[in-house]
Amino acid sequence: YKRKGYLDVQVKDLPFVKCTSKGECNITYVILKEGSQYKFGDITIINAKYFDPKDILKKVKKVRKGKPFNYESLEKLKHLIIKYYQENGFYNSNVIIKPQIDKQRKIVNVKIICIPGKRYFLNRINIKGNYKTKDWTLRRELDLKEKYIFSPEGLFRSFRQLYQLGFIEKVEPKINIIDNQTLNLTLKV
């Protein structure tokens, strides 16, 4: 119910559970009060310095003015914004979502506050435990380069490419933040 905008729904504390001899159980919840359906009102993205809020909002179709309010869609939007910031080097970014419920108009206005943090650059990539090939063989597969922006997504792509070599079984990353803009990455293979 809450996924469809029914924020005031009331459910009986104890559900009815009916089990068959095969061990299959049906759980039935009794709805005491459904309440009114709330819709998204105004959606405001604050401090979006590095992207156009309209472009991000287009990617999550359920978060639109007039659509049923849905916390899960807001979480999806939050993770999408954080992923965008991290892809662009903002390793410690955060997003705060502040819903404001208007019970009279049955809408939820949402403020999304972006906190990009500092942009991190990759100072040095260290490779440890490599006894099967030369380091440059592994480095050429990395989607990350020294002195460039650090991206967690680039790190995951690097893992995938290292595993595709066929002789790497495990990769353990260790990130060491040097100062407020640079970090070192150690890959134990």
Side-chain angles (χ1 to χ4, degrees), residues 124-142 144-146 162 165 167-168 185-189:
R124 178 87 180 120
I125 300 172
N126 300 306
I127 298 175
K128 293 188 174 186
N130 176 27
Y131 305 112
K132 295 184 180 182
T133 186
K134 302 233 182 239
D135 276 0
W136 64 266
T137 305
L138 301 179
R139 286 181 185 278
R140 73 176 179 211
E141 299 299 323
L142 299 179
L144 299 168
K145 304 290 180 217
E146 293 175 351
L162 287 172
L165 289 173
F167 54 86
I168 301 292
L185 173 64
T186 302
L187 298 175
K188 185 178 175 187
V189 295

Side-chain angles (χ1 to χ4, degrees), residues 162-177:
L162 287 172
Y163 288 133
Q164 286 177 351
L165 289 173
F167 54 86
I168 301 292
E169 296 172 8
K170 187 176 181 183
V171 180
E172 294 177 16
K174 182 179 177 192
I175 297 171
N176 182 23
I177 297 175

